[in-house]
Amino acid sequence: MTDPATSVPASPFLGLPAAVPADGLDAGVAAHYGNPMIEQRKLAAGQAIVDLSHRGVLSVTGPDRRSWLNSMTSQALDRLEPGESSETLVLDATGRVEYDVRVFDDGVTAWLLLEAQELPGLKTWLERMKFMLRVEIADESENYATVGTMAADAAALTALALPIAAPNDIPLAWADPWSAVVAGGWQYAVAEGHPASAWHWNEVLVPRAELPALAQRVRSGELSVAGTLALEALRIAAWRPRLALEGDEKTIPHELDWLRSAVHLNKGCYRGQETVAKVHNLGHPPRRLVMLHLDGSDTILPVHGDEVLAEKVRPETEAEWKVVGQITSAAIHHELGPIALAVVKRAVPVSVQLEVHAHGEKVAAAQEAIVPTDAGAEANIPRLPRLGARTH
């Protein structure tokens, strides 16, 4: 049986006891298997896997693959070693993010992992950009399925005994670079103890034909599984952006602190680089990512797109509320309770009182800055006075 929304077979994990299908972006896999909080704890401990078989997989082969990808995207990929993981962004000419791509090279093939709905557009664009270069692009989503885990190291990943594909003798296991600032990157977040230090996220490719046997291991109790609700809660707590949720048609990398993992500030030219450099060195991103700790007394959890409002006090002390942004992701975390990521206007003070309008109700929210209000302008060049301006 094939999922009508995609070209890949329906996931056998949806046939597991208590599996509840996800909707929206994650339709095609399970949101949870009966107890999201227990699943979340097991996932955080590296003891569970997440079925992400609805995700897309592209392969790029040919001797020019790395230099070609390097020339078009934000990360330095031309010297990517076999077995090395990376993340890169495809930007438009004005620096806005079009695609977020997880990249792994096995010495013969570059593997691109991405949201299924983004795959057709990216593949079409890559085909147009081939010119006379020695590269070939293929959609491998029907052959390989993505499985996620929070295994903290190679030994923990090995202990799960997953049937990781290795068509060129190197296991196809992508390790998320978000856990630390990459070489050539930059972090805007100033909080002590960045929560990404506990984010040990891996995505491995397994032959799609192996999924039924993997699901059977879960059914027999040999292996634990968690749904996408558990993954999303841990992702939000780690301040990890997901383009399909945190991004929109105006997003630039600085707004989501994406220079941390997906941008190399010292590499050669690529489309959108001028905006990346200008905002980082001379300007400020117009919006910024924040984490919200939500009042959970009414058990109301906002959804993507819900408005975030800030309290504004007029000179006559009359309070009013003004829309300053929107919720991008929200979840209930097993330790932090209800939390959310939101994108708000840069000038919104960190100390201001916020509230979220969700399901017709008002939910109080405490803001934790991810991208601070003064992010950017790192060149620290003093502004010249205007001609004719009077100085004192």
Side-chain angles (χ1 to χ4, degrees):
M1 180 177 179
T2 300
D3 185 341
T6 68
S7 60
V8 302
S11 172
F13 282 76
L14 289 174
L16 293 174
V20 175
D23 55 15
L25 286 172
D26 291 320
V29 294
H32 65 86
Y33 298 88
N35 197 323
M37 291 298 105
I38 291 178
E39 294 166 29
Q40 196 179 133
R41 293 187 181 94
K42 288 185 176 181
L43 181 60
Q47 300 170 353
I49 63 171
V50 182
D51 172 24
L52 299 175
S53 58
H54 62 313
R55 297 274 183 90
V57 181
L58 284 176
S59 67
V60 181
T61 54
D64 295 331
R65 68 188 184 282
R66 288 175 297 184
S67 60
W68 178 63
L69 291 169
N70 178 79
S71 69
M72 299 183 295
T73 68
S74 63
Q75 189 54 270
L77 303 174
D78 53 339
R79 298 182 181 178
L80 199 64
E81 295 291 333
E84 187 178 358
S85 301
S86 188
E87 179 185 24
T88 195
L89 305 174
V90 176
L91 310 178
D92 69 10
T94 62
R96 293 178 170 86
V97 183
E98 292 189 330
Y99 300 101
D100 166 39
V101 187
R102 301 175 289 284
V103 184
F104 180 88
D105 194 277
D106 65 8
V108 176
T109 302
W111 299 88
L112 312 184
L113 314 182
L114 66 161
E115 306 277 356
Q117 51 269 58
E118 295 174 1
L119 186 148
L122 179 60
K123 185 174 185 295
T124 298
W125 182 74
L126 290 175
E127 292 284 1
R128 291 205 310 265
M129 301 301 292
K130 285 170 56 175
F131 304 114
M132 299 297 291
L133 295 173
R134 296 168 297 172
V135 293
E136 294 296 332
I137 306 141
D139 183 352
E140 299 284 356
S141 306
E142 294 186 19
N143 300 320
Y144 297 99
T146 303
V147 173
T149 174
M150 286 283 284
D153 51 34
L157 183 59
T158 300
L160 293 172
L162 301 177
I164 304 174
N168 298 306
D169 299 324
I170 292 182
L172 303 184
W174 178 82
D176 193 349
W178 181 254
S179 58
V181 182
V182 301
W186 189 280
Q187 176 179 297
Y188 288 134
V190 296
E192 292 186 13
H194 197 294
S197 61
W199 175 255
H200 307 295
W201 181 245
N202 302 270
E203 294 181 8
V204 304
L205 296 183
V206 303
R208 192 166 288 275
E210 297 283 348
L211 277 185
L214 202 56
Q216 182 56 39
R217 288 178 58 194
V218 174
R219 189 184 298 271
S220 67
E222 180 187 343
L223 189 64
S224 294
V225 68
T228 57
L229 289 182
L231 170 57
E232 284 296 284
L234 298 182
R235 180 185 68 82
I236 293 168
W239 302 352
R240 213 301 178 215
R242 182 180 179 186
L243 180 61
L245 292 173
E246 274 64 60
D248 58 25
E249 69 282 354
K250 298 179 181 179
T251 298
I252 59 175
H254 319 66
E255 296 176 330
L256 306 183
D257 209 11
W258 235 332
L259 274 63
R260 173 187 174 88
S261 63
V263 175
H264 196 294
L265 292 170
N266 301 315
K267 61 167 283 186
C269 295
Y270 57 92
R271 189 174 68 165
Q273 183 193 28
E274 182 178 357
T275 297
V276 171
K278 184 179 293 185
V279 173
H280 179 64
N281 291 311
L282 302 174
H284 300 284
R287 302 176 300 178
R288 59 190 186 86
L289 186 66
V290 300
M291 176 158 148
L292 300 180
H293 295 267
L294 304 170
D295 178 7
S297 57
D298 292 326
T299 64
I300 296 174
L301 191 66
V303 298
H304 177 82
D306 281 346
E307 292 180 338
V308 177
L309 292 87
E311 186 177 34
K312 178 182 178 183
V313 180
R314 294 176 176 174
E316 61 270 26
T317 71
E318 179 185 351
E320 66 173 0
W321 293 84
K322 182 178 181 181
V323 176
V324 295
Q326 67 174 22
I327 295 293
T328 58
S329 305
I332 299 177
H333 190 269
H334 68 103
E335 292 180 340
L336 301 176
I339 55 176
L341 294 177
V343 172
V344 301
K345 296 178 180 178
R346 179 181 70 86
V348 176
V350 176
S351 59
V352 74
Q353 177 65 43
L354 299 179
E355 68 179 24
V356 178
H357 288 187
H359 308 289
E361 302 291 337
K362 299 177 180 179
V363 181
Q367 176 191 167
E368 187 172 2
I370 298 174
V371 177
T373 57
D374 60 351
E378 296 299 335
N380 198 26
I381 298 175
R383 302 185 67 177
L384 296 175
R386 291 179 290 111
L387 291 175
R390 180 177 298 179
T391 59
H392 301 278

